[in-house]
Amino acid sequence: MNFFWRISNNLYRGGYSKLARIFELLRFKLGGNAISAQCRIGEETIFMHRGLGCVAHENTVIGSYCRICQNVTFGAKWSVLNKDDGEAPVIGNYVEIGAGAVILGGIHIGNHAVIGANAVVIHDVPPSTVVVGMPAKEIGLVEGSCWKKDIAAH
């Protein structure tokens, strides 16, 4: 998944948006995800299970060394009353996101944060914080920093 995304992203940034779209469609057919070639994804970020079911808005920014499980949605928050329509999330570095999580709007997820499975995140998450639930609420802090070591082992 990352291989095809990197190709489509490089094509898009190089001005070949139609060719990038072809690679997006190929990636969708092979991997079952809709991660825009326009979003920015840092180095060594891993989409578990080939990113199956993941969706990322074109303005999403995902940091480096993140682990993202299947069926995660990074999207804009749309509403008649919302002045921030179209803003997408910014995910820090070393963030772990559980399966089925939904992260909406122009929010920031701090470095080393953990988003629980099926959490619906609509507000900023401070660094090194664990959030779960619908809507997501803080339940604790991440102690230590072992993410880089864990990811390097994959």
Side-chain angles (χ1 to χ4, degrees), residues 40-45 61-66 90-94:
R40 291 179 290 179
I41 301 175
E43 65 182 46
E44 300 297 322
T45 287
V61 177
I62 301 173
S64 298
Y65 304 102
C66 296
V90 176
I91 312 300
N93 299 319
Y94 305 99

Side-chain angles (χ1 to χ4, degrees), residues 114-133:
V114 176
I115 311 296
N118 295 312
V120 177
V121 185
I122 54 174
H123 299 292
D124 289 350
V125 175
S128 300
T129 302
V130 180
V131 297
V132 298

Side-chain angles (χ1 to χ4, degrees), residues 1-3 5-6 35 39-48 50-51 54 60-69 74 91-97 147-148 151-152 154:
M1 194 295 300
N2 285 345
F3 173 74
W5 179 84
R6 297 252 181 240
I35 300 170
C39 71
R40 291 179 290 179
I41 301 175
E43 65 182 46
E44 300 297 322
T45 287
I46 297 171
F47 282 84
M48 310 301 271
R50 295 183 325 269
C54 290
T60 300
V61 177
I62 301 173
S64 298
Y65 304 102
C66 296
R67 285 192 285 194
I68 302 166
C69 291
F74 302 96
I91 312 300
N93 299 319
Y94 305 99
V95 174
E96 174 110 9
I97 303 174
W147 301 123
K148 187 171 184 178
I151 288 176
H154 291 299

Side-chain angles (χ1 to χ4, degrees), residues 1-11 20 22-24 26-28 30-31 33 35 37:
M1 194 295 300
N2 285 345
F3 173 74
F4 285 114
W5 179 84
R6 297 252 181 240
I7 290 173
S8 60
N9 181 260
N10 287 332
L11 288 169
I22 291 170
F23 271 90
E24 276 187 30
L26 178 64
R27 190 179 68 249
F28 177 73
L30 293 175
N33 61 55
I35 300 170

